[in-house]
Amino acid sequence: MKKKKIYNFSFIALLPVNVNLFNHQPNIEFYNHMTKIHILKTDPTDNPCVNCGACCAYFRVSFYWAESESGGGLVPQELTEQITPFMSCMKGTNQKSNTRCTALSGTVGECVSCSIYTQRPTPCREFDQSWLNGIHNEACDRARAAYGLPPLEPHLPQIAC
């Protein structure tokens, strides 16, 4: 049996070949037309957020009030708190100590989930884990550090040829 070589590769001239847009954790295969090498994301279920939750228990989650149900939005009204005439926040996040969004279920740093994931406000939708798509998020590192979790490392794809 022939062994496959594994190479680290930067994302230059990569085009998506097979992307399932209806799956939250897509299987993605890239093909580099310059080198004729296929790059596979080998573990589509690898999502450090489900083992973390530090951002939900560290930052105030504030957003425009109309994102809540009373303004015609999706965020459940009973989980929000008004902070100004124009801004609301998720209950549990507008305090200096014991900050924790009431929608967060589970234990930070172990296993967590958002009880309103499909209805979450914009700040939650826009907050990315560090190194997602190669972009460092210092705020993610800061929240993780507050819970004694190490910063996430850049993930370099493996190339099999």
Side-chain angles (χ1 to χ4, degrees), residues 49-54 56-57 99-115 147:
C49 296
V50 298
N51 297 321
C52 183
C56 308
T99 303
R100 184 185 171 105
C101 179
T102 56
L104 181 65
S105 302
T107 304
V108 173
E110 292 180 20
C111 183
V112 293
S113 64
C114 176
S115 64
Y147 283 88

Side-chain angles (χ1 to χ4, degrees), residues 6-70:
I6 304 296
Y7 300 95
N8 285 331
F9 189 81
S10 61
F11 283 94
I12 299 172
L14 297 180
L15 302 173
V17 175
N18 179 19
V19 180
N20 180 354
L21 299 176
F22 301 104
N23 185 346
H24 288 285
Q25 298 169 336
N27 294 318
I28 300 175
E29 177 181 347
F30 289 97
Y31 182 72
N32 183 320
H33 292 278
M34 293 168 35
T35 61
K36 309 271 192 249
I37 296 174
H38 282 272
I39 301 172
L40 301 175
K41 183 178 178 197
T42 57
D43 187 7
T45 61
D46 185 22
N47 181 350
C49 296
V50 298
N51 297 321
C52 183
C55 57
C56 308
Y58 184 73
F59 297 110
R60 179 173 75 181
V61 181
S62 55
F63 51 91
Y64 184 60
W65 72 274
E67 286 192 57
S68 60
E69 289 173 331
S70 66

Side-chain angles (χ1 to χ4, degrees), residues 60-138:
R60 179 173 75 181
V61 181
S62 55
F63 51 91
Y64 184 60
W65 72 274
E67 286 192 57
S68 60
E69 289 173 331
S70 66
L74 296 174
V75 181
Q77 191 65 42
E78 65 276 6
L79 299 180
T80 67
E81 174 183 331
Q82 194 80 27
I83 51 177
T84 72
F86 300 102
M87 298 296 291
S88 292
C89 70
M90 294 302 296
K91 281 187 180 174
T93 66
N94 193 25
Q95 52 203 36
K96 295 283 184 193
S97 61
N98 298 320
T99 303
R100 184 185 171 105
C101 179
T102 56
L104 181 65
S105 302
T107 304
V108 173
E110 292 180 20
C111 183
V112 293
S113 64
C114 176
S115 64
I116 60 163
Y117 186 78
T118 59
Q119 299 168 290
R120 68 196 189 283
T122 301
C124 303
R125 292 177 188 276
E126 294 177 350
F127 193 92
D128 289 329
Q129 70 192 39
S130 199
W131 301 112
L132 181 67
N133 298 320
I135 301 169
H136 179 233
N137 183 349
E138 184 271 330

